[in-house]
Amino acid sequence: MSNGAAGGGGPREGLTVTHRRYIPYSHAHYAGNLVDGAYLLALFGDVATEMCIRTDGDEGLFASYSDVQFRAPVRAGDVLEVSAVLQRAGRRSRALAFEARVVCRGRPDKGGSAAEVLPEPIVAATAVGTVVVPEPPGPS
């Protein structure tokens, strides 16, 4: 994936970073093997960090979340696909759109280790966030 920053072009709006993660049963927090929403926000932070590395060569710092929406439950045994899309690149700030989708789900009703790939991903959470990166170096 091109980082958009090589060659002095700066961050490229529309750049997408995607991670996939299996949710182990040790991360279940509530009855029914539900995972807490904070877990998803931490995953959004992970893709935001990679985005900053790709666009600016720095891990950046998360400044804020807005419009966080938890849309469907996430359970232990799920496989999540978490994406960040660069919506806007300012001088030091980056506006990112996040989405977490369940792409596989455990099926304990069919056996202790049964699972399936979902025919359509389930959007579990969305958010908008702002990260900041260091001041770009000036001309030498």
Side-chain angles (χ1 to χ4, degrees), residues 17-89:
V17 171
T18 301
H19 292 183
R20 282 197 175 185
R21 176 157 316 159
Y22 172 79
I23 309 302
Y25 282 81
S26 62
H27 287 116
H29 194 73
Y30 297 105
N33 289 318
L34 289 174
V35 175
D36 61 340
Y39 187 86
L40 297 178
L41 293 180
L43 296 178
F44 288 164
D46 289 346
V47 293
T49 298
E50 183 179 345
M51 179 70 75
C52 291
I53 292 167
R54 289 186 175 279
T55 59
D56 296 278
D58 189 274
E59 291 183 358
L61 293 171
F62 224 110
S64 67
Y65 279 112
S66 63
D67 196 30
V68 176
Q69 296 187 25
F70 298 105
R71 299 171 176 261
V74 173
R75 293 186 169 85
D78 287 349
V79 175
L80 287 182
E81 183 176 82
V82 181
S83 296
V85 178
L86 180 60
Q87 298 287 294
R88 183 187 52 75

